[in-house]
Amino acid sequence: MGRLGILAGGGNLPQIGMREAIAAGEDPIFLSIAESDFKPGDYPDRVVPIRIAKIGGLLKACKANQVDRLLLLGKVKKEIIFKSLNFDLKAIALLARMVNRHDYSIFKTVAEDFEKEGINIISQKTYLKSLLLPEGRYTKRSLDKKQLDDVEFGMEYAEKIAHLDIGQAVVVVDKSVLAVEAVEGTDQTIRRGGQFAKKRKAVVCKSSKPSQDDRFDLPTVGAETLKTMSESNCDILALREGETIVVNPAEFISLAEKLKIHILSIGRGNVSKINSSQKKLPKN
């Protein structure tokens, strides 16, 4: 077996993935994306910088470091695709083969090409299983019927837009969609939707596709999500069970309680049943 490469963007997930991979006996490296807000944290000696538009350069870096598996973690702003990047020939060839510029089309095309070179992109869950919340309500206060109705309504629409590869989040109130996520990202969607919630606080619903490819772009939330919600008149966050990465779950739930934000992890079961009692985080 060769080496694990973590194709790393901004945020805390690359460092968490690195820590978990090392604990599992791997000898991973960061392939750090220069156009992102990547920070090496405790692992500055494991960083190989790459540029997102230089697919040929990424491939060469993988081969030079015996990387045969890639784990994609961290934020890269979607609008980067609309900037005037200096693509290399490999990237231009791949872009020409893509059906469209949707996230999944890009990831899938690159993954297929890398597989031909003996480099497989693996599930984002591989070293992040502890960050996936089982079904349940994780904060103390239960929801009333109107709130539960909005959660069910919002999760349905969040899943629909995810299926269309538009975004992964919607903001709703009184069974009305106030904002739909697109290229701007979840935080801006929350701000935009929250400004329309006047009489009642809004609900933020985030979902993966019904058949999400877990190698790419799993929904992710963290402390910044909660802070943005608190500033934007939103007090319920509903997530798709087992498909949404929660950065530092214990700290996340503690902050949600402090900010008086409800947290629900929604499966395919009855939402009222989920609401009936508080779920505790699994012990690691």
Side-chain angles (χ1 to χ4, degrees):
M1 184 179 292
R3 205 173 189 187
L4 174 68
I6 299 176
L7 186 58
N12 295 325
L13 287 184
Q15 288 75 28
I16 295 171
M18 174 66 76
R19 184 175 66 243
E20 294 295 322
I22 291 172
E26 296 271 12
D27 179 28
I29 60 168
F30 284 132
L31 296 158
S32 64
I33 299 172
E35 296 88 349
S36 74
D37 297 322
F38 170 79
K39 292 180 176 58
D42 296 330
Y43 309 99
D45 57 335
R46 290 179 176 269
V47 178
V48 176
I50 61 101
R51 303 199 74 87
I52 197 67
K54 308 294 185 183
I55 300 298
L58 171 59
L59 188 56
K60 287 179 182 178
C62 287
K63 291 185 175 181
N65 290 278
Q66 293 80 50
V67 169
D68 66 351
R69 287 157 297 133
L70 275 177
L71 178 59
L72 277 54
L73 296 177
K75 292 181 182 178
V76 180
K77 293 181 179 179
K78 290 183 180 180
E79 60 262 33
I80 194 172
I81 197 170
F82 300 111
K83 293 183 178 179
S84 299
L85 297 175
N86 186 19
F87 293 102
D88 65 9
L89 291 176
K90 184 73 170 176
I92 291 170
L94 291 178
L95 286 168
R97 283 166 40 199
M98 292 173 190
V99 176
N100 53 49
R101 297 290 182 87
H102 284 168
D103 292 358
Y104 185 67
S105 179
I106 294 170
F107 290 138
K108 187 170 182 291
T109 303
V110 172
E112 289 172 350
D113 194 76
F114 273 52
E115 283 172 7
K116 294 175 184 176
E117 301 287 344
I119 301 167
N120 293 307
I121 297 177
I122 64 174
S123 169
Q124 292 185 317
K125 298 179 183 181
T126 305
Y127 292 112
L128 298 178
K129 288 180 181 176
S130 64
L131 307 187
L132 302 172
L133 297 183
E135 186 177 66
R137 170 171 59 82
Y138 284 85
T139 40
K140 294 176 183 176
R141 295 170 300 135
S142 60
L143 281 67
D144 62 32
K145 187 179 186 304
K146 277 193 172 183
Q147 289 172 319
L148 290 175
D149 287 345
D150 275 350
V151 167
E152 289 187 314
F153 174 85
M155 288 303 288
E156 178 184 352
Y157 277 86
E159 190 173 275
K160 285 179 178 178
I161 67 159
H163 179 68
L164 293 171
D165 210 11
I166 295 171
Q168 298 173 326
V170 297
V171 181
V172 304
V173 72
D174 289 333
K175 290 188 176 181
S176 295
V177 175
L178 305 182
V180 172
E181 181 185 12
V183 73
E184 78 279 27
T186 302
D187 286 353
Q188 289 299 326
T189 305
I190 292 169
R191 291 188 183 97
R192 186 158 43 84
Q195 68 181 329
F196 296 109
K198 302 298 182 183
K199 294 181 181 179
R200 285 182 54 204
K201 288 185 179 292
V203 178
V204 178
C205 296
K206 198 165 174 73
S207 179
S208 58
K209 300 176 187 179
S211 54
Q212 177 78 30
D213 187 333
D214 57 22
R215 298 175 297 172
F216 317 123
D217 200 27
L218 284 177
T220 302
V221 295
E224 287 304 313
T225 312
L226 297 176
K227 292 172 185 176
T228 303
M229 288 180 62
S230 180
E231 294 164 359
S232 305
N233 205 32
C234 303
D235 71 345
I236 299 171
L237 177 60
L239 312 170
R240 182 62 68 198
E241 179 263 337
E243 298 291 333
T244 305
I245 296 169
V246 178
V247 180
N248 299 319
E251 292 88 345
F252 180 84
I253 298 302
S254 177
L255 180 60
E257 290 284 13
K258 182 179 178 181
L259 297 176
K260 297 181 179 179
I261 294 174
H262 302 272
I263 304 295
L264 282 85
S265 180
I266 308 294
R268 305 293 172 178
N270 187 292
V271 176
S272 297
K273 186 176 179 180
I274 296 169
N275 185 48
S276 63
S277 62
Q278 184 182 4
K279 182 95 171 179
K280 299 295 183 181
L281 288 171
K283 293 182 180 180
N284 294 330

